[in-house]
Amino acid sequence: MQFTGPESFPCLADLIFGELEGMSMIRIDSFGEEGTLDEWQNIGFRIRVNGLASPLHYLHYMRALKSGILQKLESALSCIAPGERAVFMQQVRRRIGRINASATIDDGPGSKARGRQRVSWVQERVHFFHNGHENPDPVIRESALVLSSRYALIYHLVTKRLEASVRFCENNRNLFSTSLPSHFKKNYRSPIRLSFSVPLFGALLRVMSDRQVFEARNVAEFCRKLVSIVDSSERRRLGLRSFRIAYDDPLPETLEKLLEELKIWVRYTEKFIERQRR
Protein backbone atom coordinates (compact mmCIF):
# COMPACT_ATOMS: atom_id res chain seq x y z
CA MET A 1 0.00 0.00 0.00
CA GLN A 2 1.72 3.19 -1.20
CA PHE A 3 1.35 6.70 0.19
CA THR A 4 3.28 9.95 0.14
CA GLY A 5 2.86 11.14 3.73
CA PRO A 6 0.15 12.70 5.91
CA GLU A 7 -1.38 14.58 3.00
CA SER A 8 -2.36 11.22 1.49
CA PHE A 9 -3.98 9.87 4.68
CA PRO A 10 -7.57 10.83 3.67
CA CYS A 11 -7.12 8.87 0.45
CA LEU A 12 -5.61 5.97 2.35
CA ALA A 13 -8.59 5.96 4.73
CA ASP A 14 -10.89 5.94 1.68
CA LEU A 15 -9.17 2.83 0.37
CA ILE A 16 -9.56 1.08 3.72
CA PHE A 17 -13.07 2.15 4.76
CA GLY A 18 -14.70 3.18 1.48
CA GLU A 19 -16.84 0.07 0.99
CA LEU A 20 -18.05 0.03 4.58
CA GLU A 21 -18.81 3.75 4.43
CA GLY A 22 -20.98 2.99 1.43
CA MET A 23 -22.87 0.46 3.54
CA SER A 24 -23.41 3.12 6.24
CA MET A 25 -25.96 4.80 3.95
CA ILE A 26 -28.86 2.41 4.35
CA ARG A 27 -31.21 1.59 1.49
CA ILE A 28 -34.26 -0.48 2.39
CA ASP A 29 -36.22 -1.94 -0.52
CA SER A 30 -39.61 -3.48 0.20
CA PHE A 31 -41.68 -5.57 -2.16
CA GLY A 32 -45.33 -6.57 -2.03
CA GLU A 33 -48.90 -5.41 -2.53
CA GLU A 34 -50.52 -2.71 -0.45
CA GLY A 35 -51.88 -3.81 2.91
CA THR A 36 -51.20 -3.98 6.63
CA LEU A 37 -48.24 -5.68 8.29
CA ASP A 38 -50.44 -8.64 9.30
CA GLU A 39 -51.67 -9.00 5.73
CA TRP A 40 -48.13 -8.73 4.34
CA GLN A 41 -47.05 -11.70 6.42
CA ASN A 42 -49.49 -13.78 4.38
CA ILE A 43 -48.87 -12.31 0.93
CA GLY A 44 -45.06 -12.38 0.91
CA PHE A 45 -44.09 -8.80 1.81
CA ARG A 46 -40.28 -8.81 1.91
CA ILE A 47 -37.36 -6.44 2.24
CA ARG A 48 -33.75 -6.03 1.19
CA VAL A 49 -31.17 -3.94 3.01
CA ASN A 50 -28.45 -2.56 0.74
CA GLY A 51 -29.31 -5.26 -1.78
CA LEU A 52 -29.04 -8.19 0.66
CA ALA A 53 -32.20 -10.25 1.03
CA SER A 54 -31.51 -12.05 4.33
CA PRO A 55 -29.89 -11.18 7.67
CA LEU A 56 -27.57 -14.18 7.30
CA HIS A 57 -26.16 -12.93 4.00
CA TYR A 58 -25.87 -9.46 5.51
CA LEU A 59 -23.94 -10.88 8.50
CA HIS A 60 -21.47 -12.73 6.27
CA TYR A 61 -20.97 -9.66 4.10
CA MET A 62 -20.37 -7.36 7.07
CA ARG A 63 -17.95 -9.81 8.66
CA ALA A 64 -16.01 -10.03 5.41
CA LEU A 65 -15.80 -6.23 5.25
CA LYS A 66 -14.59 -6.10 8.85
CA SER A 67 -11.90 -8.70 8.21
CA GLY A 68 -10.71 -6.95 5.06
CA ILE A 69 -10.53 -3.58 6.82
CA LEU A 70 -8.37 -4.98 9.62
CA GLN A 71 -5.98 -6.55 7.12
CA LYS A 72 -5.69 -3.32 5.14
CA LEU A 73 -5.21 -1.29 8.32
CA GLU A 74 -2.45 -3.58 9.57
CA SER A 75 -0.73 -3.29 6.21
CA ALA A 76 -1.04 0.51 6.24
CA LEU A 77 0.28 0.88 9.78
CA SER A 78 3.32 -1.21 8.94
CA CYS A 79 4.25 1.39 6.28
CA ILE A 80 3.60 4.54 8.33
CA ALA A 81 6.36 6.03 10.45
CA PRO A 82 5.63 5.90 14.22
CA GLY A 83 5.61 9.68 14.44
CA GLU A 84 2.84 9.95 11.83
CA ARG A 85 0.55 7.19 13.10
CA ALA A 86 -1.32 9.47 15.49
CA VAL A 87 -2.36 11.73 12.59
CA PHE A 88 -3.48 8.77 10.52
CA MET A 89 -5.42 7.21 13.40
CA GLN A 90 -7.31 10.50 13.85
CA GLN A 91 -8.58 9.99 10.29
CA VAL A 92 -9.46 6.39 11.12
CA ARG A 93 -11.37 7.29 14.29
CA ARG A 94 -13.39 9.94 12.46
CA ARG A 95 -14.33 7.45 9.76
CA ILE A 96 -15.39 4.84 12.27
CA GLY A 97 -17.43 7.41 14.18
CA ARG A 98 -19.37 8.29 11.02
CA ILE A 99 -19.86 4.63 10.18
CA ASN A 100 -21.13 3.73 13.65
CA ALA A 101 -23.65 6.59 13.57
CA SER A 102 -25.99 4.76 11.17
CA ALA A 103 -27.39 2.51 13.91
CA THR A 104 -28.18 3.48 17.48
CA ILE A 105 -29.29 1.72 20.66
CA ASP A 106 -32.91 2.35 21.57
CA ASP A 107 -33.16 2.89 25.32
CA GLY A 108 -36.80 3.86 25.20
CA PRO A 109 -39.59 2.65 27.48
CA GLY A 110 -39.64 -1.08 28.00
CA SER A 111 -36.04 -1.73 26.92
CA LYS A 112 -35.04 -2.98 30.36
CA ALA A 113 -38.19 -5.08 30.66
CA ARG A 114 -37.29 -6.83 27.40
CA GLY A 115 -34.01 -7.89 28.92
CA ARG A 116 -31.98 -6.59 25.98
CA GLN A 117 -31.40 -3.37 24.13
CA ARG A 118 -32.96 -2.78 20.75
CA VAL A 119 -30.92 -1.34 17.91
CA SER A 120 -32.57 0.92 15.35
CA TRP A 121 -31.47 2.63 12.16
CA VAL A 122 -30.94 6.38 12.33
CA GLN A 123 -33.72 7.64 10.05
CA GLU A 124 -31.58 10.33 8.44
CA ARG A 125 -29.29 7.60 7.08
CA VAL A 126 -32.10 5.51 5.56
CA HIS A 127 -33.63 5.72 2.08
CA PHE A 128 -36.85 3.78 1.51
CA PHE A 129 -38.12 2.25 -1.71
CA HIS A 130 -41.26 0.17 -2.24
CA ASN A 131 -41.58 -1.77 -5.49
CA GLY A 132 -38.92 0.52 -6.94
CA HIS A 133 -40.53 3.84 -5.89
CA GLU A 134 -38.86 6.09 -3.31
CA ASN A 135 -40.56 7.45 -0.16
CA PRO A 136 -43.46 4.99 0.17
CA ASP A 137 -46.45 5.29 2.46
CA PRO A 138 -45.50 5.91 6.16
CA VAL A 139 -47.10 2.59 7.15
CA ILE A 140 -44.86 0.77 4.68
CA ARG A 141 -41.80 2.68 5.90
CA GLU A 142 -42.52 1.78 9.53
CA SER A 143 -43.13 -1.87 8.66
CA ALA A 144 -39.88 -2.01 6.68
CA LEU A 145 -38.01 -0.53 9.64
CA VAL A 146 -39.44 -3.19 11.95
CA LEU A 147 -38.55 -6.00 9.55
CA SER A 148 -35.01 -4.65 9.15
CA SER A 149 -34.27 -4.50 12.89
CA ARG A 150 -32.12 -7.64 12.74
CA TYR A 151 -30.00 -6.01 10.05
CA ALA A 152 -29.55 -2.97 12.29
CA LEU A 153 -28.46 -5.18 15.19
CA ILE A 154 -25.92 -6.97 12.99
CA TYR A 155 -24.59 -3.65 11.69
CA HIS A 156 -24.23 -2.27 15.21
CA LEU A 157 -22.45 -5.34 16.60
CA VAL A 158 -20.04 -5.72 13.68
CA THR A 159 -19.07 -2.04 13.58
CA LYS A 160 -18.59 -1.91 17.35
CA ARG A 161 -16.35 -4.96 17.20
CA LEU A 162 -14.47 -3.33 14.35
CA GLU A 163 -13.98 -0.23 16.48
CA ALA A 164 -12.64 -2.32 19.37
CA SER A 165 -10.31 -4.27 17.04
CA VAL A 166 -8.98 -1.07 15.49
CA ARG A 167 -8.34 0.41 18.93
CA PHE A 168 -6.51 -2.75 19.98
CA CYS A 169 -4.49 -2.77 16.77
CA GLU A 170 -3.48 0.86 17.31
CA ASN A 171 -2.52 0.39 20.96
CA ASN A 172 -0.65 -2.82 20.27
CA ARG A 173 1.42 -1.33 17.46
CA ASN A 174 2.13 1.95 19.27
CA LEU A 175 3.14 0.30 22.54
CA PHE A 176 4.82 -2.92 21.54
CA SER A 177 6.01 -2.85 17.94
CA THR A 178 9.49 -1.62 18.84
CA SER A 179 9.66 -2.61 22.51
CA LEU A 180 11.42 -5.97 21.99
CA PRO A 181 15.16 -5.97 21.24
CA SER A 182 16.00 -7.20 17.74
CA HIS A 183 18.12 -10.10 19.06
CA PHE A 184 15.15 -11.29 21.13
CA LYS A 185 12.90 -11.27 18.06
CA LYS A 186 15.46 -13.26 16.05
CA ASN A 187 16.37 -15.80 18.73
CA TYR A 188 12.97 -16.17 20.30
CA ARG A 189 11.91 -19.78 20.98
CA SER A 190 8.72 -20.51 22.82
CA PRO A 191 8.65 -23.20 25.53
CA ILE A 192 5.08 -24.14 24.51
CA ARG A 193 3.83 -25.04 21.04
CA LEU A 194 0.14 -25.45 20.23
CA SER A 195 -1.32 -28.53 18.63
CA PHE A 196 -4.64 -26.64 18.32
CA SER A 197 -5.25 -24.10 15.61
CA VAL A 198 -5.20 -20.48 16.74
CA PRO A 199 -8.99 -19.98 16.28
CA LEU A 200 -9.73 -23.17 18.26
CA PHE A 201 -7.29 -22.22 21.02
CA GLY A 202 -8.80 -18.73 21.29
CA ALA A 203 -12.34 -20.17 21.44
CA LEU A 204 -11.33 -22.62 24.16
CA LEU A 205 -9.83 -19.89 26.33
CA ARG A 206 -12.88 -17.68 25.76
CA VAL A 207 -15.19 -20.46 26.99
CA MET A 208 -12.92 -21.07 30.00
CA SER A 209 -12.92 -17.36 30.80
CA ASP A 210 -16.71 -17.10 30.46
CA ARG A 211 -17.05 -20.11 32.78
CA GLN A 212 -14.67 -18.38 35.23
CA VAL A 213 -12.05 -21.15 35.12
CA PHE A 214 -9.59 -18.27 35.33
CA GLU A 215 -9.96 -14.54 35.77
CA ALA A 216 -8.72 -12.17 33.08
CA ARG A 217 -9.62 -8.67 34.23
CA ASN A 218 -7.44 -7.07 31.58
CA VAL A 219 -7.98 -9.08 28.41
CA ALA A 220 -5.34 -7.18 26.42
CA GLU A 221 -2.67 -7.86 29.03
CA PHE A 222 -3.74 -11.50 29.33
CA CYS A 223 -3.40 -11.98 25.56
CA ARG A 224 -0.02 -10.26 25.45
CA LYS A 225 1.40 -12.50 28.18
CA LEU A 226 0.01 -15.62 26.57
CA VAL A 227 1.46 -15.00 23.11
CA SER A 228 4.86 -14.35 24.68
CA ILE A 229 5.12 -18.01 25.78
CA VAL A 230 3.21 -19.84 23.02
CA ASP A 231 4.01 -20.79 19.43
CA SER A 232 1.26 -21.60 16.96
CA SER A 233 0.73 -25.05 15.49
CA GLU A 234 2.52 -23.83 12.33
CA ARG A 235 5.72 -23.44 14.41
CA ARG A 236 5.78 -19.70 14.29
CA ARG A 237 5.19 -17.19 17.03
CA LEU A 238 1.53 -16.81 17.90
CA GLY A 239 0.25 -13.53 16.43
CA LEU A 240 -1.21 -11.18 19.01
CA ARG A 241 -3.84 -9.69 16.68
CA SER A 242 -4.99 -13.05 15.26
CA PHE A 243 -5.20 -14.55 18.74
CA ARG A 244 -7.13 -11.57 20.13
CA ILE A 245 -9.65 -11.82 17.28
CA ALA A 246 -10.00 -15.57 17.90
CA TYR A 247 -10.58 -14.90 21.61
CA ASP A 248 -12.95 -11.92 21.24
CA ASP A 249 -15.05 -13.11 18.33
CA PRO A 250 -14.97 -16.91 17.82
CA LEU A 251 -16.91 -18.06 14.79
CA PRO A 252 -19.87 -20.43 15.24
CA GLU A 253 -18.08 -23.02 13.09
CA THR A 254 -15.05 -22.87 15.41
CA LEU A 255 -17.25 -23.29 18.48
CA GLU A 256 -18.85 -26.33 16.87
CA LYS A 257 -15.39 -27.87 16.35
CA LEU A 258 -14.57 -27.05 19.97
CA LEU A 259 -17.75 -28.82 21.09
CA GLU A 260 -16.71 -31.96 19.20
CA GLU A 261 -13.25 -31.77 20.79
CA LEU A 262 -14.79 -31.43 24.26
CA LYS A 263 -16.87 -34.55 23.63
CA ILE A 264 -13.62 -36.41 22.95
CA TRP A 265 -12.24 -35.03 26.22
CA VAL A 266 -15.27 -36.34 28.09
CA ARG A 267 -14.74 -39.85 26.71
CA TYR A 268 -11.03 -39.67 27.55
CA THR A 269 -11.81 -38.51 31.10
CA GLU A 270 -14.26 -41.38 31.61
CA LYS A 271 -11.57 -43.88 30.63
CA PHE A 272 -9.04 -42.03 32.80
CA ILE A 273 -11.38 -42.43 35.79
CA GLU A 274 -11.64 -46.17 35.12
CA ARG A 275 -7.86 -46.51 34.99
CA GLN A 276 -7.40 -44.58 38.21
CA ARG A 277 -9.89 -46.80 40.04
CA ARG A 278 -7.99 -49.98 39.23
Side-chain angles (χ1 to χ4, degrees), residues 5 8 18 32 40 59 63 77 89 93 109 125 130 140 150-151 154 161 169 173 176 180-181 198 200 251 260 270 275:
S8 69
W40 285 328
L59 173 62
R63 279 181 169 175
L77 287 174
M89 292 309 298
R93 285 190 290 270
R125 296 289 186 95
H130 182 67
I140 297 177
R150 290 185 65 188
Y151 291 84
I154 291 169
R161 286 177 179 174
C169 180
R173 182 165 292 277
F176 300 101
L180 294 176
V198 173
L200 200 59
L251 296 174
E260 293 302 315
E270 290 171 346
R275 293 199 303 269

Side-chain angles (χ1 to χ4, degrees), residues 257-270:
K257 290 180 182 178
L258 178 60
L259 180 60
E260 293 302 315
E261 182 67 30
L262 293 176
K263 291 177 182 178
I264 296 173
W265 290 7
V266 169
R267 294 195 293 271
Y268 172 83
T269 305
E270 290 171 346

Side-chain angles (χ1 to χ4, degrees), residues 169-188:
C169 180
E170 176 189 12
N171 292 339
N172 173 49
R173 182 165 292 277
N174 286 344
L175 295 176
F176 300 101
S177 60
T178 59
S179 60
L180 294 176
S182 58
H183 71 274
F184 182 84
K185 294 179 181 178
K186 292 179 181 178
N187 300 324
Y188 176 82

Side-chain angles (χ1 to χ4, degrees), residues 10-189:
C11 180
L12 188 58
D14 285 339
L15 293 175
I16 296 173
F17 294 98
E19 191 171 357
L20 183 57
E21 280 195 288
M23 294 292 288
S24 70
M25 295 304 298
I26 313 302
R27 171 171 173 152
I28 301 179
D29 285 275
S30 58
F31 305 89
E33 301 299 327
E34 299 294 331
T36 66
L37 183 58
D38 291 337
E39 292 171 341
W40 285 328
Q41 292 175 349
N42 298 322
I43 63 177
F45 181 83
R46 62 195 188 279
I47 66 165
R48 289 181 182 174
V49 175
N50 286 358
L52 296 166
S54 78
L56 181 60
H57 290 162
Y58 188 76
L59 173 62
H60 289 323
Y61 185 80
M62 291 296 293
R63 279 181 169 175
L65 283 184
K66 170 177 169 281
S67 177
I69 285 171
L70 292 175
Q71 292 176 6
K72 292 176 184 178
L73 181 63
E74 182 69 20
S75 175
L77 287 174
S78 67
C79 300
I80 297 174
E84 297 177 343
R85 286 178 192 150
V87 177
F88 176 65
M89 292 309 298
Q90 286 179 356
Q91 295 274 350
V92 169
R93 285 190 290 270
R94 283 198 293 268
R95 297 299 179 98
I96 292 179
R98 291 203 300 265
I99 290 168
N100 286 348
S102 292
T104 184
I105 294 176
D106 180 10
D107 287 324
S111 60
K112 293 183 179 180
R114 290 193 301 266
R116 61 182 179 86
Q117 293 172 313
R118 177 183 174 187
V119 178
S120 303
W121 296 119
V122 174
Q123 299 249 2
E124 291 77 10
R125 296 289 186 95
V126 182
H127 297 277
F128 293 91
F129 292 80
H130 182 67
N131 293 335
H133 301 289
E134 193 171 4
N135 296 321
D137 181 271
V139 175
I140 297 177
R141 292 166 57 97
E142 186 61 30
S143 299
L145 276 176
V146 171
L147 292 175
S148 69
S149 60
R150 290 185 65 188
Y151 291 84
L153 177 61
I154 291 169
Y155 183 93
H156 174 75
L157 292 177
V158 172
T159 54
K160 283 299 182 182
R161 286 177 179 174
L162 171 64
E163 182 179 25
S165 298
V166 168
R167 189 183 306 115
F168 170 77
C169 180
E170 176 189 12
N171 292 339
N172 173 49
R173 182 165 292 277
N174 286 344
L175 295 176
F176 300 101
S177 60
T178 59
S179 60
L180 294 176
S182 58
H183 71 274
F184 182 84
K185 294 179 181 178
K186 292 179 181 178
N187 300 324
Y188 176 82
R189 292 295 182 272

